Amino acid sequence: MVSVYYDLHIHTALSPCANDDMTPNDIVRMALLNGLDMIAVTDHNTFDNAESVVKAAKSVHAQSGKELIVLPGIEVSTAEEVHVLCLFRDIESALKFEAELFPYFSGLSNRIHIFGNQIIYDENDRVTGELERMLIAPASISFDNLYLLVNKHKGAFIPAHIERNSFSLLSNLGFLPPHLDINTLEVSQKSTSNSFYEKNKEIYSKNKIVFSSDAHQLWTISERENFLLLPERNSGAAIDYLR
Ligand SMILES: [Zn+2]
Ligand SMILES: [Zn+2]
């Protein structure tokens, strides 16, 4: 088994609330500088920068010999306004999933002066456009139907920052739906030592818990602190473990 140090919740500049310097290459280089082996790109309700980060990691690997595994992901806001990380083993499965999710996305346009800009980068950090669609608006898909869709495409379904008082499974639904076979939950890095653990020992004993940064700025990307024990160091092994 190998220890794979990770941060599975990172926003690029495409998320309206993230800094503009969250570019594909800067994210990859910062993650490597922090000693990470694997990251997931998880913009709000879009994959449009995920492939650029995957490609940037490949070219950094070719140039420097340093390998970073990048899982294409998305942070979906469900109809109940629960945030869920949906992670995939490769960009092909991510895009097939997105094609089925697309009709559920809001048709509203972004308001840059209120929410911030939504920048699309290529793998060389060149701006190729801005996304018009309002990414911060929730999708109209229910939590249960999102679970089914992620499983159909063999992805990992991870309710995000479950300890938070808003946009989380526990704050908005209030419980872990017993009819769904959810294996992994995310707890934010900073709350690991607070009373949340004491109050939720049952969740910790029954589920796999991952701790990620929810980084919107380069300096908040995780250090080499949390790892998955995997049979192999690749994206497929990670997704198989998490789902
Ligand atoms: Zn969130
Ligand atoms: Zn997030």
Side-chain angles (χ1 to χ4, degrees), residues 74-109:
I74 185 170
E75 182 173 22
V76 176
S77 179
T78 69
E80 303 88 346
E81 297 207 51
V82 175
H83 287 189
V84 180
L85 305 176
C86 310
L87 312 182
F88 296 88
R89 62 197 70 223
D90 50 42
I91 198 77
E92 291 75 22
S93 354
L95 295 181
K96 279 182 194 158
F97 164 79
E98 190 186 35
E100 288 199 64
L101 182 62
F102 203 84
Y104 295 98
F105 288 145
S106 156
L108 298 171
S109 295

Side-chain angles (χ1 to χ4, degrees), residues 113-139:
H113 55 289
I114 300 176
F115 301 114
N117 50 10
Q118 305 183 153
I119 307 170
I120 304 172
Y121 285 104
D122 71 7
E123 68 267 33
N124 299 310
D125 291 3
R126 282 187 295 248
V127 175
T128 58
E130 282 216 31
L131 204 62
E132 166 73 19
R133 180 162 70 78
M134 187 192 283
L135 296 178
I136 212 77

Side-chain angles (χ1 to χ4, degrees), residues 1-8 10 27-40 53 57-58 61 65-71 221-230 232-236 238:
M1 301 292 270
V2 282
S3 305
V4 175
Y5 285 82
Y6 69 85
D7 185 344
L8 300 179
I10 296 178
I27 289 171
V28 168
R29 289 181 191 280
M30 183 58 89
L32 286 169
L33 204 63
N34 287 0
L36 299 180
D37 304 307
M38 182 171 68
I39 61 167
V53 185
K58 282 189 183 143
H61 185 202
K66 291 181 183 158
E67 185 177 16
L68 181 71
I69 300 163
V70 179
L71 303 178
I221 291 175
S222 296
E223 301 284 335
R224 189 177 169 86
E225 300 161 79
N226 305 299
F227 61 90
L228 305 179
L229 261 184
L230 301 177
E232 289 174 83
R233 187 185 296 268
N234 59 46
S235 62

